[in-house]
Amino acid sequence: MVYNITLYLSLSICVFGLMYRIFRWFSLSIGPDVEGESAAGRMRTACKTMLRFFFSRRILNFLKIFFVDSLFQTRLFQTSKARWLFHILLFHAFVLLVFMHAMDDQITRVLFSEYESTLNPFMFLRNLFGILVLLGVVFFILRRIRQKPFQKATNRTDLAAILILSSILLSGFLLEAVQIFSSPIFDEMVLEYMRTDDPEETAPLESYWAKEYGVVFPKAVDIGQPERISAGQMIHEENCASCHSRPESAFVSYPLSIHMRSFARALNSIRADIWLHYFHFIICFIGLAYLPFSKFFHMISIPLNLMIRNGESRPEEDDPNNAVKRSIGMDACTHCGVCSLHCSVMPIYRVTGNPNVLPSEKLLSVKKIASGKPPDKTGWTAVSDGNFACTDCFRCTKVCPSGIHLHDLWQASKKELERRDHGKSDQLIRKRSASQWEGLFEKYDIPGSPDPDDLLLRNMAPETFSACVQCTVCSNVCPVVSLPVSLSSPEITPQQVMNLLRLDMKELAMGSRMVWDCMTCYMCQEHCPQGIRVADILYELRNMGADRLQKVRLMESVSSEKKADSDSASERNKK
Amino acid sequence: MKFLFFAGCKIENYLKQYETSSRAVLNELGVELIDMELNCCGYPIRHQNMVASILSAARNLAVASKLHLDILTPCKCCFGNLKYAISRLREDAEVRKKINLFLEKEGLFWEEGVQVKHLLSVLYHDIGLNAIRTRIKNPIQGLKIAPHYGCHALRPSRVVQFDNPLAPTLFEELVEVTGAETVSWSRRLECCGNPLWERNNSLSLYMMQKKLENAQDAGADFICVACTYCQIQFDQVRASQPQNTHYGLPSILYPQLLGLSMGLERDVLMIEKNVIDSQHLTRYCRSYHQGVNEQRSKGGKNG
């Protein structure tokens, strides 16, 4: 009863969850190129493509991807042999457990008429598969602990997956161990198969089972008399042997059961076997219901992602299915973190601590934006900085075991951020004049919070620029200063920047066109007769400006969010 | 001669021909390149965060030091930033301490020792013009080249020590060794404009345009570069701009030019991969093919 209710409940949650996840593939949107397409329109295009596809020769390639890349996980093999080994054992052992053990009535019994869960090879295999899955789980836990970047990155979904999987396995082993020494189960079985509860008749069998099968009875059973044991053995062979292999075959649960013998009587008296049984199937059903919302969804999304990518190295720009492909790609991420380990700009993360620099974490933010929500507590500024720190090295895309085209996603997310006014600092700085920025920069120069890494701003010390005699050589050789006014009016020239520093007005310089349009060609520095590091100073003013701009953006986005909230609230009130 | 090859982030996916032609030329001249997974040189983030930039560079230097190898890079911006990081690490004990604290977590350490060299400096100083000259099989004839130096290799000279910053000759000499002529043009030491690409595009394009005009006025047939970003600017960025002119003045990568004169295979030079058509470059040495082959076969008999 409880079993059926929970089963159907979790099954329906699972089905609806899957439908929801699949629908999301058509509604998520990242990148201006796919903006404005309706979910229905995307579905129609996808259906058309699929139909055309099924009647083309490419379907053969599809099958190859399914069997080779999905079942044998070749991409993971290329990434790490150890991870591949443990993952493939975990995955295949788990699938076999589901088919052989969880769905024994539907599958195993149909295939093998003599099937009993307590018979070999099924009992042995169940233990084998179980321990393989558990080994895999332990391996993945250790990997997360041992590899520094993952410690911090491990999130709730990762923990939930590990927790559910290990609970299923541990409760299963525990259940079997408790069942082995359970005298109430023994009594039930005797009643059912021997059709007797006469203690005289069952006493030899009790002795035999206590000795050979590890059952623990409420009262001590005599196992010292050989005649009694052999009498028990005869009854056993007549009634029980056809359904029971030796318990040692349960090579995990039986030793566990032996270690637990001292608590056996207490556990038997409270019928721990029944409670554990409930726990075991309920946790399995929770896993089933949670599947579409969990990390385990990658069982569906990864093969699908590999198939729709169909081995293409770069997505075609005008592919009408790009939006859907990107969404499925985002769903295929298991947050395994391999991309981040290979990320070319990892040192930036180490210095700034901005998780959005790392592809595995950036993807989480991009996914949130794609579903129309603002990014997490890190905020737009961090997401923008992380996205624009990428140097297009493609390494994440190459190593991703799920075959996600991450680079295409980053191209799209960068454009999306620009569209939403969260572009590069360079774009934002151009929106105001130097003197307007000066006001804002001064406002957000929070005392006590030094500019980051002021340690490196050595060139800003007075002795570095005080030697300037305003000879204007730097400005004369500067290619930016020489530009026609129509292209850029640098507002101030390099030698004026030096003067501003002397006047302690660096905030005015920090937002100026001169600082942000500097070509970094180092002409000024090379030519300075006083040996002043002019270009280095401009670099550092830009660093400081970028940092101060971050603060301004953070404060402004907070206030604009508040404004948006109050706007939507007042709109609701009007309605 | 053995170096740790520092390709830089962009080369593999945006300028493969630079990588293959550099490798081929160096291989021909007996230079062995070691490959490792390295991280970004720190040049792009230097605009925003100096510590992150220096750490990026220092991590690569520390990896090279662990392998007891010097670094060779074909990219002038990578070269410039790696050199710049060394100068900051060298002159400032506190910076050094801070960076090494980060590196220690990975079992790495920065100390003075690893040399960073640009492709051109290895060709010029380590291999030498004479050694190169002996490998030239098909001297380029009648081609006028405008060599573009690239800012980050040349300046700040105190840091990079590439060549005389005001009157360099290294690149001209390397171009001339292939048989090509060089033109003298006033903007040869100026910026290609790429550092401002995607930051201030109109400015970036204007800078490039000015250089192209100047090179063309000087009578050049080709611009020659030895930097990933400069070539991306002169070739791909230029080609993406419909209103751009001066298509008659394509940009060629130096190892493509050198490789051609050394008689290297088409498929490693990949001249057809340059977006703005540079195929006619081969015309300047094709006429010579036959003569060279005849000479060689004669020489073979004599020897």
Side-chain angles (χ1 to χ4, degrees):
Chain A
M1 182 63 180
V2 180
Y3 182 87
N4 279 337
I5 291 175
T6 44
L7 170 63
Y8 288 115
L9 191 67
S10 60
L11 207 57
S12 42
I13 296 177
C14 178
V15 169
F16 281 111
L18 289 176
M19 281 160 61
Y20 166 74
R21 287 297 289 259
I22 290 168
F23 177 74
R24 264 166 59 98
W25 292 338
F26 300 96
S27 63
L28 291 184
S29 184
I30 192 87
D33 55 329
V34 300
E35 190 202 1
E37 294 170 11
S38 70
R42 284 180 191 170
M43 267 185 221
R44 265 197 303 276
T45 323
C47 287
K48 267 187 231 158
T49 315
M50 279 199 303
L51 267 180
R52 226 176 301 138
F53 185 78
F54 279 120
F55 294 102
S56 74
R57 213 183 293 163
R58 285 196 304 169
I59 190 95
L60 290 173
N61 196 27
F62 221 71
L63 292 173
K64 184 205 140 238
I65 291 172
F66 180 75
F67 285 105
V68 179
D69 294 346
S70 306
L71 287 186
F72 293 101
Q73 297 155 14
T74 43
R75 284 189 68 97
L76 189 57
F77 183 76
Q78 286 154 8
T79 318
S80 152
K81 307 278 181 290
R83 273 192 62 211
W84 172 81
L85 182 70
F86 280 97
H87 189 267
I88 207 133
L89 286 177
L90 186 153
F91 170 69
H92 288 279
F94 192 78
V95 168
L96 286 167
L97 267 185
V98 169
F99 288 150
M100 186 197 83
H101 168 61
M103 301 175 67
D104 52 359
D105 285 340
Q106 291 79 19
I107 294 174
T108 326
R109 208 178 293 282
V110 177
L111 293 175
F112 306 95
S113 53
E114 71 278 16
Y115 171 79
E116 286 300 337
S117 64
T118 46
L119 266 185
N120 274 337
F122 308 106
M123 189 156 79
F124 167 76
L125 287 177
R126 194 170 56 240
N127 275 260
L128 178 68
F129 296 154
I131 201 73
L132 287 178
V133 176
L134 214 51
L135 271 179
V137 173
V138 170
F139 174 83
F140 284 104
I141 294 174
L142 286 179
R143 173 175 171 266
R144 284 205 174 259
I145 295 173
R146 278 185 49 200
Q147 286 182 331
K148 282 264 165 58
F150 295 141
Q151 279 178 357
K152 272 193 218 157
T154 302
N155 61 24
R156 261 178 289 167
T157 12
D158 303 322
L159 286 178
I162 286 172
L163 201 67
I164 287 183
L165 212 51
S166 43
S167 307
I168 290 176
L169 269 301
L170 290 174
S171 67
F173 281 127
L174 217 54
L175 172 61
E176 194 172 30
V178 169
Q179 281 174 336
I180 286 174
F181 59 57
S182 168
S183 61
I185 296 182
F186 177 88
D187 293 340
E188 283 168 16
M189 300 287 275
V190 166
L191 195 61
E192 193 176 339
Y193 291 96
M194 273 177 73
R195 297 182 188 285
T196 176
D197 53 357
D198 178 6
E200 285 285 300
E201 233 176 298
T202 58
L205 189 64
E206 279 185 12
S207 297
Y208 182 75
W209 270 68
K211 184 165 185 270
E212 302 289 333
Y213 281 80
V215 177
V216 178
F217 292 95
K219 282 175 197 152
V221 175
D222 182 8
I223 54 168
Q225 299 177 29
E227 315 87 69
R228 198 170 154 140
I229 298 291
S230 59
Q233 189 177 2
M234 277 177 66
I235 308 174
H236 166 77
E237 270 156 20
E238 197 177 314
N239 296 293
C240 321
S242 62
C243 291
H244 283 279
S245 298
R246 300 280 313 164
E248 290 85 354
S249 308
F251 63 92
V252 180
S253 313
Y254 186 60
L256 191 64
S257 157
I258 291 172
H259 278 95
M260 290 166 64
R261 281 178 78 94
S262 34
F263 314 102
R265 291 210 170 89
L267 290 169
N268 282 346
S269 68
I270 56 162
R271 291 304 306 260
D273 58 310
I274 297 181
W275 292 112
L276 273 169
H277 186 237
Y278 276 119
F279 182 79
H280 183 60
F281 74 72
I282 286 176
I283 196 88
C284 287
F285 292 155
I286 290 178
L288 180 65
Y290 181 55
L291 183 138
F293 312 99
S294 72
K295 221 174 147 152
F296 301 121
F297 187 67
H298 77 261
M299 286 190 289
I300 296 162
S301 54
I302 292 182
L304 194 66
N305 180 58
L306 288 170
M307 284 190 263
I308 53 166
R309 263 193 71 184
N310 204 11
E312 65 184 10
S313 54
R314 283 188 199 198
E316 286 156 32
E317 268 174 32
D318 50 356
D319 186 339
N321 291 308
N322 265 347
V324 183
K325 284 186 172 180
R326 269 176 214 154
S327 309
I328 295 176
M330 284 190 273
D331 260 0
C333 174
T334 61
H335 200 236
C336 72
V338 171
C339 49
S340 298
L341 279 184
H342 291 270
C343 179
S344 196
V345 291
M346 171 70 102
I348 301 178
Y349 164 72
R350 291 197 192 282
V351 172
T352 63
N354 178 3
N356 291 290
V357 169
L358 303 176
S360 60
E361 312 310 301
K362 181 161 64 172
L363 187 130
L364 300 177
S365 303
V366 170
K367 204 167 160 181
K368 267 203 122 176
I369 296 170
S371 57
K373 284 178 235 158
D376 263 340
K377 49 189 180 299
T378 49
W380 287 104
T381 316
V383 175
S384 165
D385 281 346
N387 267 273
F388 288 102
C390 170
T391 56
D392 298 316
C393 74
F394 277 72
R395 243 188 250 158
C396 52
T397 309
K398 273 179 200 143
V399 298
C400 176
S402 311
I404 308 170
H405 205 297
L406 292 163
H407 185 257
D408 170 60
L409 208 56
W410 310 145
Q411 295 294 91
S413 67
K414 278 193 260 191
K415 287 194 192 112
E416 182 78 35
L417 285 164
E418 274 168 8
R419 195 173 64 93
R420 289 169 184 249
D421 244 2
H422 295 290
K424 269 190 184 178
S425 312
D426 299 80
Q427 259 114 33
L428 299 171
I429 210 89
R430 211 163 304 149
K431 294 191 171 165
R432 293 186 173 110
S433 69
S435 48
Q436 281 171 320
W437 282 118
E438 186 192 15
L440 282 166
F441 286 163
E442 277 173 356
K443 190 172 155 195
Y444 293 117
D445 182 18
I446 303 148
S449 76
D451 287 310
D453 307 318
D454 48 351
L455 186 62
L456 284 171
L457 303 176
R458 287 301 155 80
N459 296 319
M460 299 293 295
E463 59 270 22
T464 54
F465 54 80
S466 56
C468 176
V469 292
Q470 294 291 306
C471 70
T472 73
V473 164
C474 52
S475 303
N476 289 336
V477 295
C478 176
V480 179
V481 173
S482 73
L483 287 171
V485 187
S486 60
L487 270 172
S488 172
S489 51
E491 295 167 325
I492 43 176
T493 61
Q495 120 263 354
Q496 283 172 319
V497 170
M498 299 307 119
N499 202 33
L500 283 177
L501 292 178
R502 194 180 57 81
L503 296 169
D504 198 16
M505 290 173 71
K506 63 175 189 281
E507 273 84 3
L508 181 60
M510 268 153 54
S512 70
R513 299 268 16 104
M514 184 61 244
V515 164
W516 287 85
D517 281 344
C518 166
M519 292 269 178
T520 71
C521 72
Y522 276 89
M523 286 280 205
C524 48
Q525 190 157 328
E526 201 62 60
H527 285 84
C528 178
Q530 293 288 83
I532 294 170
R533 292 158 74 159
V534 189
D536 281 348
I537 292 174
L538 293 178
Y539 250 126
E540 286 178 13
L541 281 168
R542 196 150 64 242
N543 273 206
M544 293 167 82
D547 175 64
R548 210 65 73 79
L549 180 70
Q550 222 174 35
K551 288 180 185 148
V552 174
R553 280 163 83 185
L554 212 60
M555 302 310 283
E556 283 190 342
S557 73
V558 169
S559 58
S560 74
E561 261 167 41
K562 272 187 197 152
K563 191 171 169 284
D565 279 350
S566 63
D567 282 356
S568 61
S570 62
E571 235 167 75
R572 254 179 276 134
N573 290 344
K574 270 179 209 166
K575 279 175 188 171
Chain B
M1 228 180 292
K2 211 156 124 184
F3 290 99
L4 179 62
F5 187 58
F6 191 91
C9 296
K10 294 269 193 235
I11 205 164
E12 190 176 340
N13 297 288
Y14 295 90
L15 207 62
K16 192 74 188 168
Q17 64 269 41
Y18 194 21
E19 186 182 346
T20 55
S21 56
S22 299
R23 281 180 189 277
V25 163
L26 288 168
N27 181 44
E28 197 68 15
L29 293 165
V31 177
E32 190 187 342
L33 297 177
I34 307 295
D35 291 293
M36 272 284 286
E37 186 174 285
L38 297 161
N39 55 264
C40 170
C41 68
Y43 162 67
I45 198 67
R46 184 159 150 198
H47 291 293
Q48 210 169 336
N49 189 321
M50 194 60 81
V51 183
S53 171
I54 296 181
L55 178 64
S56 302
R59 194 180 170 277
N60 295 312
L61 295 165
V63 169
S65 146
K66 219 175 180 176
L67 297 169
H68 304 291
L69 288 170
D70 287 338
I71 289 177
L72 183 157
T73 176
C75 175
K76 285 186 175 162
C77 298
C78 295
F79 169 76
N81 202 61
L82 291 170
K83 291 286 260 191
Y84 186 76
I86 293 176
S87 79
R88 294 296 289 261
L89 288 161
R90 186 184 288 153
E91 70 195 20
D92 194 327
E94 275 183 69
V95 171
R96 198 156 60 231
K97 199 174 135 205
K98 184 169 184 144
I99 296 296
N100 272 330
L101 273 177
F102 278 114
L103 290 176
E104 266 170 28
K105 291 178 194 156
E106 287 185 87
L108 293 168
F109 187 75
W110 181 86
E111 57 190 338
E112 191 78 49
V114 173
Q115 299 252 349
V116 176
K117 291 184 176 179
H118 184 261
L119 169 69
L120 295 188
S121 7
V122 170
L123 290 173
Y124 189 87
H125 295 292
D126 299 56
I127 296 167
L129 292 177
N130 286 333
I132 298 174
R133 203 168 281 125
T134 60
R135 309 304 277 260
I136 305 291
K137 293 174 187 161
N138 312 325
I140 313 265
Q141 281 232 313
L143 177 70
K144 286 189 180 137
I145 294 270
H148 159 83
Y149 267 88
C151 307
H152 296 142
L154 210 52
R155 294 176 296 261
S157 59
R158 187 185 61 84
V159 168
V160 290
Q161 296 180 326
F162 181 76
D163 199 357
N164 180 339
L166 303 179
T169 56
L170 182 151
F171 202 6
E172 274 83 1
E173 288 177 59
L174 279 169
V175 167
E176 280 159 10
V177 111
T178 68
E181 293 168 39
T182 54
V183 299
S184 134
W185 55 312
S186 56
R187 281 183 181 260
R188 69 184 179 126
L189 307 185
E190 295 211 1
C191 175
C192 67
N194 192 270
L196 281 185
W197 184 246
E198 287 184 339
R199 294 151 62 79
N200 189 344
N201 287 355
S202 53
L203 221 158
S204 165
L205 291 170
Y206 178 85
M207 297 295 295
M208 171 173 64
Q209 206 65 11
K210 277 283 163 207
K211 285 206 75 152
L212 290 168
E213 277 167 25
N214 183 245
Q216 199 159 46
D217 290 348
D221 302 309
F222 275 88
I223 283 210
C224 188
V225 304
C227 168
T228 313
Y229 283 101
C230 296
Q231 177 69 0
I232 286 176
Q233 179 80 351
F234 283 129
D235 196 42
Q236 294 165 15
V237 170
R238 171 155 52 136
S240 72
Q241 298 304 309
Q243 70 279 30
N244 251 285
T245 52
H246 301 97
Y247 281 131
L249 186 67
S251 176
I252 188 94
L253 288 154
Y254 179 69
Q256 289 181 320
L257 182 76
L258 179 61
L260 195 70
S261 65
M262 285 164 69
L264 297 185
E265 301 287 323
R266 274 180 78 97
D267 58 331
V268 293
L269 302 180
M270 293 203 279
I271 293 172
E272 70 286 348
K273 261 205 99 177
N274 297 1
V275 185
I276 296 172
D277 186 21
S278 347
Q279 296 274 16
H280 59 285
L281 182 73
T282 52
R283 251 189 273 146
Y284 293 94
C285 58
R286 194 181 292 153
S287 56
Y288 232 68
H289 281 197
Q290 207 138 25
V292 168
N293 288 340
E294 273 169 21
Q295 258 181 9
R296 211 187 302 154
S297 61
K298 260 187 215 166
K301 270 172 203 165
N302 292 343

